[in-house]
Amino acid sequence: MSDKPSDPDAPTPASAASTPPTGDPATTPPTGDPATTPPTADPGTPPHGAVLGDPEGEPTPEKTGRPPGAAPSTEGASAAAGGTGRRSFDHWFGEKDRNGFIHRSWMRAQGFSDEVFDGRPVIGICNTWSELTPCNAHLRRLAESVKRGVWQAGGFPLEFPVMSLGETMLRPTAMLFRNLLSMDVEESLRGNPIDGTVLLTGCDKTTPGSIMGAASVDLPTLVVTGGPMLNGKFRGCDIGSGTAVWRFTQDVNAGRMTQEDYAAAESGMSRSNGHCMTMGTASTMACMAEALGLQLTGSAAIPAVDSRRYATAQLAGQRIVKMVEEDLKPSDILTRDAFANAVRANAAIGGSTNAVIHLLAIAGRVGVDLTLDDMDEWARGVPWLVDLQPSGKYLMEDFYYAGGLPAVMREILPLLKADAITVTGRTIGENVANTERTVDTDVIRAVDNPLGSGAGTAVLKGNLAPDGAVVKQSAASERLLQHRGKALVFSSIEEYDLAVDDPDLDVDEDTVLVLQNAGPRGYPGMPEVGNMTIPRKLAEQGVEDMVRISDARMSGTAYGTVVLHVAPEAAVGGPLALVRTGDWIELDVPARTLHLDVSEEELAKRRADWQPAPASTDRGWARLYVDHVTQANLGCDLDFLVGRTGSAVARQSH
């Protein structure tokens, strides 16, 4: 699983990518291209559809009512040619014994007729809808569109809920629960009569968490994201979710904005269903799902309330039925080449630093060898083409009208592995070959007229971050990309918040603000507090950016010269825990270094004196998380969830 099937750094000629596909593009199965051939089963993993406890991995005649050796019934079903059968049919609805009676009878209580039990594929619609997750509050309506498509294609749609993670509401941070969501998805898919799934996602962690769970089961999977809100409005100007919050809060602190205007902006920022309409983490991960090949082409940027969002969901319902027939699974799509494409797309769109952690975690679930060094190398030199907040001026609604992600990927196609397969059954190159960017706007730049080059997420290393740290270059101040300053250290975000308004705080614009104990274990959950507010006394002087360093994350909607994800984190004794106020720190983004100018002898003394903080919790999910979470450079997954278990069917429940 760790073998690299091809070199993602070797560009695929655009001419090869633009060759029109033959046959029905929606139903043509992937070829035997070495870059897209499904990996072999993990050692020790039961074969697809096997029953745990049955050494032959086959349903018995007693369970199915079929003679020994007889193929599953496909009469009246939309089964694949050759009659391969269905996981749901062989182990739930096709059984002729007591258990089959139970499974079918209780489903009939919902008013389903005989036809749904005839062997047609059961499509699980995995829904992260919740009124506590405003970004996902419209997903139940979206599910109806998916169901319509599934019925049209001859499938049997069944919607089910999983944990929903509302970034704006959930404390201490939604990131604490991303892996719990992934477990919810994984066990729901494996334990129920499901042949393929559509993941309905939107808010930041619901997209990667759902993908991680589905990838671990490896049934045919298609992602439908909820789409961004319409552009926010304030005093005749467009304002972006999140980004406006950080900017306006700083303006209030500096005396440039009144509380009345602050309240008026609040009421105009979020004016429709959907996730953040800036290029924050939600928009970024929607684009990453599309760039990885898990979402229908062009669907990431469609506004949530645009009718085309619902039409696309209907098409997704049709397509997932075909994917089950083709047995096109996440392991076929999520190759090393696919991750290289996603990293380069993220650089081109000016995407969130959070994508780094989520892509690492997803790769870990499918056994793809992916490191921070890979991601830094792949992002170098990629032109920054999308002028969206927080790094630019436009918003996701504008991005969609300008051509969306397909237009960006068409521009950078020579840098991509264009033969990577996608949920459409076609390659990335084929999917974007005929797309165009809108040329009468500068939302998406041409590749020969970029906003910048190599402006993606940079990976830093040095004695302060031996295992890596990241910085979003497009959101940073150019003057601070090479900087030396004295550290001002805070052991918690609460300590910083108490000090930030102090007029006597010993700080100037060259100071490096350092925050400790906000990493995966230390907080716990690695919250979005890394973009510490500029101290009030400096904001009043007009200072808008400073170097800030922490083991935390920051919202994808935020901006500034903010060094994040320092690994190892302070809570496990990483060098960040040893920094003291007054130490000199050197940041050199072009050289990819982060250096603490303290002798090894002094650091050894400090390390000997360091004591870990008491555990923040001794029970429940948080205890399990703290005991097993990996560091940021490994994706913050739980160590026992890395890899995939497959879709083997468990023993009978009755």
Side-chain angles (χ1 to χ4, degrees), residues 7-184:
D7 180 11
D9 301 310
T12 300
S15 58
S18 61
T19 303
T22 59
D24 182 358
T27 59
T28 302
T31 65
D33 187 327
T36 59
T37 299
T40 57
D42 294 336
T45 301
H48 180 81
V51 181
L52 297 180
D54 179 354
E56 296 300 320
E58 290 293 335
T60 64
E62 291 75 21
K63 291 185 172 74
T64 64
R66 295 195 306 269
S73 171
T74 60
E75 183 178 354
S78 56
T84 60
R86 300 281 179 236
R87 181 178 185 267
S88 61
F89 185 83
D90 281 355
H91 304 292
W92 276 273
F93 301 137
E95 295 177 331
K96 305 301 183 184
D97 60 2
R98 179 189 62 188
N99 287 301
F101 181 108
I102 291 171
H103 299 319
R104 291 185 300 273
S105 179
W106 261 261
M107 289 300 290
R108 290 180 192 275
Q110 300 179 72
F112 294 120
S113 59
D114 291 346
E115 289 87 351
V116 301
F117 306 121
D118 62 7
R120 67 185 62 200
V122 175
I123 304 301
I125 301 175
C126 179
N127 201 341
T128 56
W129 168 87
S130 171
E131 290 181 338
L132 288 170
T133 306
C135 304
N136 295 17
H138 62 301
L139 292 188
R140 293 182 78 183
R141 181 185 170 195
L142 202 65
E144 294 304 316
S145 296
V146 176
K147 289 179 187 177
R148 191 159 58 235
V150 173
W151 286 120
Q152 288 174 326
F156 178 18
L158 292 173
E159 181 184 357
F160 64 95
V162 290
M163 186 180 191
S164 190
L165 310 180
E167 189 68 44
T168 57
M169 301 292 171
L170 194 56
R171 295 189 180 191
T173 169
M175 184 63 180
L176 176 62
F177 303 103
R178 182 200 65 179
N179 301 335
L180 182 57
L181 167 61
S182 80
M183 293 174 70
D184 191 352

Side-chain angles (χ1 to χ4, degrees), residues 415-438:
L415 300 177
L416 302 178
K417 292 301 296 182
D419 58 354
I421 202 70
T422 73
V423 292
T424 67
R426 307 196 309 177
T427 67
I428 280 283
E430 291 166 345
N431 287 342
V432 306
N434 297 319
T435 61
E436 296 180 355
R437 64 184 181 87
T438 302

Side-chain angles (χ1 to χ4, degrees), residues 409-631:
M409 298 190 78
R410 173 68 182 272
E411 286 291 319
I412 64 169
L413 196 55
L415 300 177
L416 302 178
K417 292 301 296 182
D419 58 354
I421 202 70
T422 73
V423 292
T424 67
R426 307 196 309 177
T427 67
I428 280 283
E430 291 166 345
N431 287 342
V432 306
N434 297 319
T435 61
E436 296 180 355
R437 64 184 181 87
T438 302
V439 296
D440 59 352
T441 176
D442 57 356
V443 177
I444 301 174
R445 300 286 190 91
V447 72
D448 58 359
N449 182 34
L451 291 153
S453 182
T457 299
V459 176
L460 312 172
K461 290 192 176 180
N463 70 341
L464 187 51
D467 293 333
V470 301
V471 61
K472 184 175 179 178
Q473 297 177 90
S474 63
S477 299
E478 187 174 356
R479 66 179 180 83
L480 294 175
L481 293 177
Q482 292 177 298
H483 183 77
R484 176 179 167 86
K486 285 188 176 181
L488 179 59
V489 181
F490 299 89
S491 62
S492 71
I493 191 60
E494 291 81 9
E495 181 184 348
Y496 181 77
D497 288 342
L498 288 173
V500 69
D501 291 338
D502 185 351
D504 297 322
L505 187 65
D506 186 13
V507 63
D508 61 36
E509 63 180 334
D510 293 324
T511 300
V512 176
L513 301 176
V514 176
L515 174 63
Q516 302 167 326
N517 303 309
R521 296 188 186 181
Y523 200 76
M526 204 179 182
E528 295 181 342
V529 297
N531 57 315
M532 295 170 274
T533 307
I534 301 298
R536 183 182 292 271
K537 66 183 257 185
L538 297 181
E540 291 173 344
Q541 297 169 19
V543 175
E544 296 185 348
D545 195 12
M546 300 172 67
V547 174
R548 288 154 276 181
I549 300 174
S550 74
D551 45 12
R553 298 177 301 113
M554 76 173 180
S555 168
T557 68
Y559 53 89
T561 312
V562 186
V563 178
L564 304 153
H565 311 181
V566 171
E569 64 176 301
V572 299
L576 187 68
L578 310 179
V579 183
R580 301 289 182 266
T581 293
D583 290 346
W584 287 93
I585 294 177
E586 297 177 17
L587 169 68
D588 190 336
V589 175
R592 299 298 198 266
T593 59
L594 183 64
H595 181 72
L596 176 63
D597 195 4
V598 175
S599 69
E600 284 300 317
E601 293 77 13
E602 174 61 22
L603 289 177
K605 292 178 183 178
R606 295 181 186 181
R607 189 172 288 108
D609 294 336
W610 177 81
Q611 294 292 326
S616 57
T617 181
D618 63 355
R619 60 170 287 129
W621 169 252
R623 171 65 182 272
L624 183 66
Y625 179 93
V626 169
D627 287 350
H628 292 279
V629 69
T630 63
Q631 289 294 291

Side-chain angles (χ1 to χ4, degrees), residues 188-213:
S188 294
L189 291 177
R190 185 179 295 114
N192 282 293
I194 294 172
D195 300 307
T197 185
V198 174
L199 306 177
L200 296 186
T201 72
C203 197
D204 295 17
K205 310 305 174 294
T206 62
T207 299
S210 297
I211 292 172
M212 289 162 64

Side-chain angles (χ1 to χ4, degrees), residues 209-238:
S210 297
I211 292 172
M212 289 162 64
S216 296
V217 182
D218 204 30
L219 290 170
T221 298
L222 196 155
V223 177
V224 174
T225 52
M229 292 183 283
L230 298 177
N231 292 357
K233 299 289 182 180
F234 173 64
R235 300 286 165 82
C237 298
D238 285 349

